[in-house]
Amino acid sequence: MVSQDRHPLEAAQAAGARLRERLGRSPSVAVVLGSGWAAVADALGPAELERPAAELLGVAAPTAPGHTGLLRASRVGPELVATLSGRVHLYEGHGAAAVVHGVRALVLAGARTVVLTNAAGALRPDLEVGRPVLIADQINLTGASPLTGAPPPPPLPGRFVDLSRLYDPELRAVVRGIDPSVGEGVYAAVAGPQFETPAEVSMLRRQGADLVGMSTALEAIAAHHLGARVLGLSLVTNLASGLAPAGVDADEVLAVGRDAAGSLGLLLAAVLRALPATGERTGPSSRP
Ligand code: HPA
């Protein structure tokens, strides 16, 4: 658990060091599987280690449907990939530090690339339900930031972090190289858990968003702050409120994820194999 007495980044450093010790080496890639993506874990190779992330990293146990809370280490090509099946959200009553703790721990364990996946509502009718979309940028409307609070303990980077290249353009190009039909859009993060009103959706569209969801934005900031490269992929599970004739149905959101799991797994496994090589490291992370 993230304790009140020490800086959340120190808690994440300790969790990352424990994981590295347990694995005997650093993971080079961290993957977070959001709503609708859980079944994709099996496409990422057999587990070398699979335990509750609460036990390995001290993350809060997720309560969202389909989020198992497991952390799996598996080998994809030369990379050791640490996959969190599920995440915790602000709407579960957690603060920003708890929401990003798992991602921070994996980056501080050595992961240099972070792949964040989620389910999202589409604000553009050309974004098809059941299809993945690359996150090109985000609008954080949650009112929260993982960088609020005491400054990061040195030598970690300071909190006034530049976000002009939050989602790595080179990683997006890797995905487009594998599947040129994958779309791209701006992700608006809201706190949830209620879906939006049609008026909120029309505001989000005018603000320049293409997708809306309840996660990812804080994890992206936290990973980027620590120097990791971030790839974001949304699965479009529904047309957003007001665009969807019958409204938004939470069960439908999960069902779309289940149906798309096969193709998402193939895509993600191919992306991980095509990532610019990071190589294996056996010693402690060179990252501060
Ligand atoms: N809104 C917010 N979050 C979501 C949606 C949506 O329409 N679909 C899946 N997650």
Side-chain angles (χ1 to χ4, degrees):
M1 266 322 142
V2 176
S3 118
Q4 297 299 316
D5 340 319
R6 62 175 169 169
H7 196 288
L9 276 160
E10 282 168 351
Q13 272 174 323
R18 277 200 312 276
L19 179 69
R20 226 170 27 227
E21 202 172 298
R22 181 87 183 250
L23 292 172
R25 58 198 188 281
S26 295
S28 50
V29 181
V31 177
V32 180
L33 297 177
S35 300
W37 290 77
V40 168
D42 290 334
L44 308 184
E48 291 191 4
L49 171 74
E50 187 168 49
R51 303 289 310 151
E55 174 195 311
L56 290 176
L57 298 178
V59 299
T63 63
H67 291 239
T68 64
L70 291 171
L71 174 64
R72 174 186 290 202
S74 59
R75 206 170 256 289
V76 180
E79 309 291 349
L80 182 63
V81 178
T83 303
L84 279 169
S85 282
R87 54 161 60 90
V88 290
H89 304 81
L90 292 172
Y91 66 70
E92 292 168 87
H94 300 288
V99 167
V100 303
H101 176 72
V103 165
R104 273 182 169 159
L106 294 179
V107 173
L108 290 165
R112 296 172 184 186
T113 302
V114 173
V115 181
L116 301 172
T117 66
N118 61 39
L123 303 172
R124 269 184 13 220
D126 64 298
L127 297 176
E128 267 176 67
V129 170
R131 294 278 302 143
V133 177
L134 282 162
I135 303 179
D137 203 348
Q138 72 182 30
I139 304 175
N140 176 13
L141 296 170
T142 65
S145 165
L147 301 175
T148 305
L156 294 177
R159 56 189 160 188
F160 299 108
V161 58
D162 172 59
L163 296 185
S164 50
R165 284 161 60 95
L166 179 56
Y167 292 93
D168 191 275
E170 201 188 337
L171 295 181
R172 276 185 275 145
V174 167
V175 177
R176 282 196 303 268
I178 291 166
D179 183 351
S181 74
V182 174
E184 242 187 47
V186 172
Y187 177 85
V190 294
Q194 70 286 348
F195 292 112
E196 299 67 42
T197 63
E200 286 165 346
V201 165
S202 102
M203 175 195 77
L204 294 171
R205 292 176 74 178
R206 275 181 276 122
Q207 285 178 329
D210 304 300
L211 301 157
V212 57
M214 303 176 195
S215 68
T216 304
L218 304 189
E219 292 152 67
I221 295 169
H224 184 72
H225 166 246
L226 293 173
R229 305 208 301 169
V230 178
L231 174 66
L233 275 168
S234 289
L235 170 67
V236 175
T237 53
N238 57 282
L239 279 174
S241 170
L243 307 178
V248 183
D249 176 347
D251 292 334
E252 185 61 25
V253 166
L254 292 175
V256 170
R258 276 193 297 275
D259 291 349
S263 59
L264 295 180
L266 290 176
L267 175 67
L268 203 52
V271 169
L272 294 180
R273 269 187 236 105
L275 284 178
T278 53
E280 182 181 312
R281 284 177 294 153
T282 47
S285 164
S286 58
R287 191 168 300 293

